[in-house]
Amino acid sequence: MHVVTGGAYNGKKVWVKETYSSQLTDKSLWFNCYEETCPIHFSFDRSHFMIVIEGIEEALRHFLKREETGSAKEFFHLYVEPLLAWEKADDKRQCVLIGTDITKGLVPMDKEERKWRDETGRLLQLCVSEATDVTIVWFGLAQTIKGGKS
Amino acid sequence: MLTFLCGGVRSGKSSYGESLAVKKKRDEGRLIYIATAVKTDEEMEERIAHHQHKRALEADWHTLERPYHLLSLIHEIAPTDVVFLDCLTTWLSNEMFFQSSEKVQTAAVKERMMKTIDQLNRHCSELFIISNDLFHEPVAEEESVRQYVQLLGEIHQYIVKKAHVAIQMEHGVPIYWKGR
């Protein structure tokens, strides 16, 4: 699993599209969590070789809205672990998680926003600890802070 | 030559950038400081005075004040000058919100600012652009704020692509993403 993070509007999506251009075929799946119909349960099958989740923090936000007592840990267990298992079953499979780092600003006034921000920090830590590669994108430039085979 | 510096508030980006700019000054050229901030209240005035005082101590800076339409400064700049633009965030907010209450034409603002950056860069010996990092928190729901953050991010990406040197300032420590 490759985690790609960085600030908002820093060019993360474009970087993933360029880096994985040869693998982003009709055998790949791209989930955009910023769309109104944000998917939380990512459905896929064995015919796919590549899965990209764009905006994992947004999927978490929707999950927390639905599950009042929910946590990053629970989200990770329910929705990220199946992706890891899917990836592990075949060497050719690759999962990329794109997450906006929303953890460095002012403490939000709103309680729900505050929880979402905290849980996003936790979720990114969980994802990063299981990831083989971790890349930070800074206005289009990339720095890989973990792994880096590709 | 284009140098881009970006960091949080009070990260030392202006001071570090200024020290780089002073080193690049040529005997026959000047150090030009483009100030985009508008004096809106006392606190802002103090900030401006603080920066002016510091610059006066360090070197002979020539200040040009212009909140927007920076292209009109071109004829005041010589090819041997070092130009220091501080900062992109206030310039963008002036371009977007200062001039009129009409609906902001984001594409036009972006186009105009990118063109101005190119022209300034071509016109002087060294251009320094300072900006703020405000991309690491939840993006505001309010449409004009969201547009502002998106536009700033896109302009940053454009500048970083063109820059010879791109620096992220972290608590006074420069991290070089590009060049040296």
Side-chain angles (χ1 to χ4, degrees), chain A residues 4-20 30 34 52 54-55 96-101 135-143, chain B residues 110 135-136 149-158 160-161 177:
Chain A
V4 179
T5 183
Y9 305 114
N10 267 246
K12 301 183 292 297
K13 178 178 63 191
V14 171
W15 186 83
V16 169
K17 281 191 171 166
E18 281 170 6
T19 305
Y20 287 101
W30 188 295
Y34 298 115
V52 182
E54 178 189 354
V96 178
L97 294 186
I98 307 175
T100 300
D101 178 6
T135 300
I136 297 173
V137 176
W138 188 77
F139 306 121
L141 301 177
Q143 187 190 19
Chain B
K110 186 176 156 186
F135 304 92
H136 289 87
V149 177
Q150 177 172 5
L151 216 51
L152 188 65
E154 287 172 3
I155 296 171
H156 279 195
Q157 288 180 50
Y158 179 78
V160 167
K161 200 176 249 179
W177 281 83

Side-chain angles (χ1 to χ4, degrees), chain B residues 74-174:
Chain B
I74 279 277
H75 64 275
E76 296 184 49
I77 295 165
T80 48
D81 291 339
V82 171
V83 175
F84 195 86
L85 175 52
D86 194 2
C87 69
L88 190 65
T89 50
T90 43
W91 177 25
L92 176 61
S93 59
N94 294 340
E95 289 279 353
M96 281 179 79
F97 309 118
F98 194 71
Q99 305 181 69
S100 74
S101 53
E102 283 166 47
K103 200 172 173 293
V104 181
Q105 304 293 325
T106 51
V109 169
K110 186 176 156 186
E111 199 58 38
R112 187 163 68 232
M113 288 178 69
M114 293 192 310
K115 195 178 141 209
T116 303
I117 290 164
D118 286 342
Q119 297 261 24
L120 285 173
N121 191 30
R122 264 202 297 271
H123 207 78
C124 64
S125 72
E126 299 273 345
L127 175 63
F128 289 81
I129 300 175
I130 308 297
S131 197
N132 256 93
D133 189 326
L134 34 85
F135 304 92
H136 289 87
E137 58 187 336
V139 176
E141 304 250 333
E142 218 266 298
E143 184 56 12
S144 64
V145 182
R146 197 202 56 75
Q147 277 181 343
Y148 175 83
V149 177
Q150 177 172 5
L151 216 51
L152 188 65
E154 287 172 3
I155 296 171
H156 279 195
Q157 288 180 50
Y158 179 78
I159 294 173
V160 167
K161 200 176 249 179
K162 294 232 152 181
H164 295 87
V165 180
I167 302 165
Q168 179 184 17
M169 278 309 278
E170 288 286 330
H171 322 297
V173 179

